[in-house]
Amino acid sequence: MNARGGLGLGLVGTSLACVALTAALGESAATRGLGPGGPLPPYSSAAHPSPWLVVSLLVAAVATGLAGSLLAWSALARGWAPDPRRLLAAGLVATFALLLVPPTSSDDLYSYTAYGRTVVLGRDPYTTAPADLGDDPVAREAGDPWRGMPTVYGPVATAQQYLAMRVAGPHVRTGAALLALASALAFAGTGLLLYAAAPDPAGRRRAVLLWTLNPLLLLHLVAGAHVDALLVLFAVAAVLALRRNAFVAGLLGGAAAGVKLSGVLVCAALAWACRHSPRRLALLALGGALVTPPAYVAVGGFTALTQVRRASRFVSFGSPWRALSVPLDHY
């Protein structure tokens, strides 16, 4: 094995180990305690680590992950040619291994469960904050500042959250596990699409290191259980579909915008790619129009817009990105 590439993969593994350890330590500034466990994951201890320890572990995860990825990419440029199937398998194993421990580095997952619970109870999540549900066992687990805010997510994300909490009922642990699984499946699905779309082994290696075995993305999207993984799945599928069918690409782009409003940028990029073909542009627009506007109308319009700007400034205390966001927040 190329020494540079081997060192890069070693640092990637170290990064993922730091993430897993942070979560396995149990409730902390970076990880939410999920209550009494059972025979099924996620598993964690009750070590009660200090905020400094868990944040340091996550910063170390980012630093080693970045260094490892850069070394691996440098090794590829120097002729390193690992088996892309093994790299893909390693990335998929890492993805689902992170489900064995609680989600970490973000509190967003518990706002997802609260918003899904709001719909299950027959309330409108776009006008009802989790705090409005009183002492509901799921709603009270939503962290600040989300507990006082109606949802900022699109109707596709809200539907996913509703389905998870429909199954979980009043059990936040079950709902959180289901939504974390959904994010991991979306992340893995994106990785498989990128792998399949690559034209040759070299392209497959790059696709895996860019996505499925990228420790920074695994930290954010899988360990953090972010709904953005679903948005990216639709976005990548839309870009690939555009090669053959602009209408299908429009449907998928519309679904991305239905996860979060930032998905509109995907639609704009698709439209730019079709700018020289009025027919393809029309088919793309038709596909998007059949998904995004009806989906938002069905949930009461674009109420989420009023919350987006305020919500965009919130960063979890346990997130390593807080070290950048807090100083920049003054500008």
Side-chain angles (χ1 to χ4, degrees), residues 95-121:
T95 298
F96 293 104
L98 287 173
L99 295 178
L100 296 176
V101 292
T104 191
S105 79
S106 172
D107 218 25
D108 288 6
L109 179 61
Y110 306 99
S111 67
Y112 302 164
T113 57
Y115 296 142
R117 178 68 171 169
T118 301
V119 183
V120 169
L121 295 177

Side-chain angles (χ1 to χ4, degrees), residues 22-123:
T22 301
L25 290 172
E27 184 165 5
S28 67
T31 304
R32 176 69 67 89
L34 293 177
L40 298 177
Y43 308 114
S44 63
S45 68
H48 302 293
S50 73
W52 289 106
L53 173 60
V54 295
V55 172
S56 296
L57 281 171
L58 290 176
V59 170
V62 171
T64 56
L66 177 59
S69 293
L70 290 175
L71 278 173
W73 275 93
S74 174
L76 287 181
R78 293 168 178 258
W80 182 46
D83 186 339
R85 294 170 298 180
R86 292 186 178 182
L87 290 178
L88 177 65
L92 293 176
V93 168
T95 298
F96 293 104
L98 287 173
L99 295 178
L100 296 176
V101 292
T104 191
S105 79
S106 172
D107 218 25
D108 288 6
L109 179 61
Y110 306 99
S111 67
Y112 302 164
T113 57
Y115 296 142
R117 178 68 171 169
T118 301
V119 183
V120 169
L121 295 177
R123 304 285 294 273

